[in-house]
Amino acid sequence: GKLHLKTLLSKGRRKREAEGLGHMAFSKKVLKWRLIGEGYSSQLSIDDQRYVFRLAFRMWSEVSPLEFEEDSHSPLEEIDIRLGFGTGRHLGCTQRFDGAGREFAHAWFLGDIHFDDDEHFTAPNAGSGISLLKVAVHEIGHVLGLPHIHRTGSIMQPNYLPQDAGFEIDWLDRKAIQHLYGACNGRFSTAFDWIRKERTPYGEEVIRFNTYFMRDGWYWMYENRSNRTRYGDPVAVQAGWHGIPADGVDAYVHVWTWSTDAVYFFKGTQYWRYDSENDRVYTEDPKGHRYPRLISEGFPGVPGPIDTAFYNRRDNHIYFFKGPDVYSFDVSANAKARGFPKRIDEVFPAAVPGDHPGGYLDAAYFSYTHNAVFLLKGTRFWRVVSGKDRIRQPSLPRNSLLPHREVEDQWFDICNVHATALKL
Amino acid sequence: EKIFHNRDHSDVEIQQQADPIIDEGTAQQFLSKYGFIKPVNWEEIQFENEEAVLSDDSPAPKDIVSVIQEGGSLSRMGIKDQSDDPAESLQFTSALEEFQRVSGLPVTGAFDDATKAAMNEPRCGVPDKEEPADSSDAQNATETELRNATAGNITASTAANETVNGTEDWRASTEVH
């Protein structure tokens, strides 16, 4: 039976020639795992063991399209990855463990991971012992199809290196797993740069921004200088943005002029003003407006719900996108601009005929990092031609859209995790 | 520290310690086990039937696998102690150099202290060099050999013809021995 299973797996496994960087071990995206009952460690509480494994799986999920779900109830044959501790000859395994020291764990390509309980495994940040988290991330990497990688910094190095504080899965290991399972992609609810004022240790007030991507009730902070999302994201929207709808928003707009500094979140027919100082929505803002408010009240002539929106500092207008149309709203006059709504492809024409999102956008995002406006739809984005572009190439129509690119090629590793893993 | 309840700690089982790598013999086992002498068919190992799992002093898994893969001579391929076989020691030296290279050690080809220390570091049990298991000819050969080996009628020459690509010369030299 085992040989037959191996034959099935070997024939069924899609092996991508990946310069020897392993093979794709699973063809499905949601994998079930379990710490098997006969394989509990005698060194850590069961909750600690499961917590560490949940975190280990989540770390791989944050950098790959795979999602992992702990399943304690289904029949064992439905569990894709089974983890257990043992000593010496253990868990029916052909490879006996060697006792304390040297070999600390091994993994089988059928999804079994064994930890040598003669080793002194410790929970994260315990300082001493062998970090169970680091070993688990390594062995899960094997089950997913990664071989040993002899590269400083790789989690797949065969030897255990005492845990540098808070190890993470680095860029090349991310690319290795994405080479097997593809990059992460998917539509976003909105994307924005959130501006906030901070005081330096010298008391000076400085302006900082952070980039966020939101998808339904989750969000990631994107660290542009590191080309990745913040370690540990995504997190639930209501954990980080107090008072906006827990299932996410349609749009974010930051109106920022000499006299106005107002952040708005839009959802359905309503909108909220956000108090960035206190990091929560206003129930009543300094002008006495109570929230949530109807979009049509705060922005006369703009019907909710909208698909997305962005504030254009060049002309002090907010552009609201709805279906195939765009509404330009003059902030100073507090009124819809004359002649709007217009079709999106009229206001933002395609620079290359035919390469245009059409309508029904997911996000319109002005990026301080790129100093450009991006229109996102599905897994693609189009950059709006800037004044600088037109100086270089005058033939480009004003506000035209450059040819599309894939979001995953510009903003990396924005990956979902399983809903059960959102809160560890 | 391990949980104990008895005043004299007698209830804490004497923890077995891993055998250290101390000489070229144990170093050869290490290099063999983790695929530096010949890539290990790690998947195969998981599938060998329990009977083949020999007693505690069972040879390093590679040899179990080679016995299975080879089929012809089912005698145990014990770990040869240091033979003066020039091919063997050449093999050992090049495997050692490969280990030193991937470990970022000075590539001396000698079993020196730095190498000894590195071999005794805590590590994962998955081999560093695995044999691709599902290239079709290897797959068929393995299946055929396994089936024949079970039937006991495989002949050395058959094994030689169907060996996994790239091990032909290795197997031939082994068969000579």
Side-chain angles (χ1 to χ4, degrees), chain B residues 58-75:
Chain B
S58 58
K62 173 193 69 65
D63 291 305
I64 293 179
V65 171
S66 65
V67 164
I68 289 179
Q69 281 171 352
E70 201 160 310
S73 62
L74 282 182
S75 63

Side-chain angles (χ1 to χ4, degrees), chain A residues 8 141 151 169 302 318 372 381:
Chain A
L8 280 182
R151 173 177 61 78
I169 299 175
V302 177
I318 300 173
F381 73 86

Side-chain angles (χ1 to χ4, degrees), chain B residues 8 18 37 55 67 105-108 119 130 144 163 172 175:
Chain B
D8 63 356
I37 291 183
S55 64
V67 164
L105 296 169
V107 181
T108 62
M119 286 184 171
E130 286 187 60
T144 312
T163 53
E175 262 146 19

Side-chain angles (χ1 to χ4, degrees), chain A residues 264-320:
Chain A
Y264 301 109
F265 283 103
F266 297 78
K267 173 82 172 182
T269 58
Q270 300 179 310
Y271 76 103
W272 291 256
R273 184 172 172 187
Y274 200 75
D275 176 359
S276 296
E277 292 289 316
N278 300 297
D279 209 357
R280 59 169 303 97
V281 295
Y282 282 105
T283 45
E284 183 171 334
D285 71 6
K287 293 180 181 173
H289 293 314
R290 298 188 59 80
Y291 295 91
R293 285 184 82 193
L294 285 177
I295 295 174
S296 51
E297 253 179 53
F299 305 90
V302 177
I306 58 169
D307 292 329
T308 190
F310 80 98
Y311 168 70
N312 187 347
R313 283 169 58 204
R314 282 185 301 188
D315 60 6
N316 193 24
H317 282 59
I318 300 173
Y319 289 82
F320 292 96

Side-chain angles (χ1 to χ4, degrees), chain A residues 160-344:
Chain A
Y160 174 81
L161 301 173
Q163 181 177 337
D164 30 4
F167 85 94
E168 292 291 345
I169 299 175
D170 73 3
W171 171 268
L172 288 176
D173 284 345
R174 292 165 179 239
K175 299 311 139 191
I177 200 73
Q178 289 166 16
H179 203 91
L180 301 182
Y181 295 95
C184 299
N185 55 41
R187 55 167 292 284
F188 291 103
S189 308
T190 191
F192 57 90
D193 285 351
W194 182 53
I195 305 285
R196 68 192 188 292
K197 299 181 182 67
E198 274 184 353
R199 285 207 181 279
T200 68
Y202 311 103
E204 300 141 340
E205 181 169 89
V206 291
I207 305 287
R208 298 234 193 279
F209 77 89
N210 283 112
T211 299
Y212 295 91
F213 286 82
M214 283 190 177
R215 179 178 289 150
D216 304 328
W218 301 359
Y219 78 94
W220 297 258
M221 183 171 96
Y222 190 83
E223 300 192 4
N224 293 284
R225 68 175 71 107
S226 308
N227 281 320
R228 58 169 171 75
T229 57
R230 175 176 51 185
Y231 294 137
D233 285 358
V235 288
V237 162
Q238 77 263 37
W241 301 88
H242 304 124
I244 69 172
D247 57 348
V249 296
D250 297 328
Y252 164 100
V253 166
H254 181 200
V255 177
W256 197 15
T257 67
W258 292 110
S259 56
T260 308
D261 182 359
V263 171
Y264 301 109
F265 283 103
F266 297 78
K267 173 82 172 182
T269 58
Q270 300 179 310
Y271 76 103
W272 291 256
R273 184 172 172 187
Y274 200 75
D275 176 359
S276 296
E277 292 289 316
N278 300 297
D279 209 357
R280 59 169 303 97
V281 295
Y282 282 105
T283 45
E284 183 171 334
D285 71 6
K287 293 180 181 173
H289 293 314
R290 298 188 59 80
Y291 295 91
R293 285 184 82 193
L294 285 177
I295 295 174
S296 51
E297 253 179 53
F299 305 90
V302 177
I306 58 169
D307 292 329
T308 190
F310 80 98
Y311 168 70
N312 187 347
R313 283 169 58 204
R314 282 185 301 188
D315 60 6
N316 193 24
H317 282 59
I318 300 173
Y319 289 82
F320 292 96
F321 297 87
K322 183 180 175 67
D325 299 328
V326 57
Y327 295 73
S328 177
F329 185 84
D330 184 334
V331 174
S332 313
N334 195 41
K336 181 165 62 64
R338 195 198 322 250
F340 282 86
K342 294 179 179 177
R343 290 187 55 87
I344 295 174

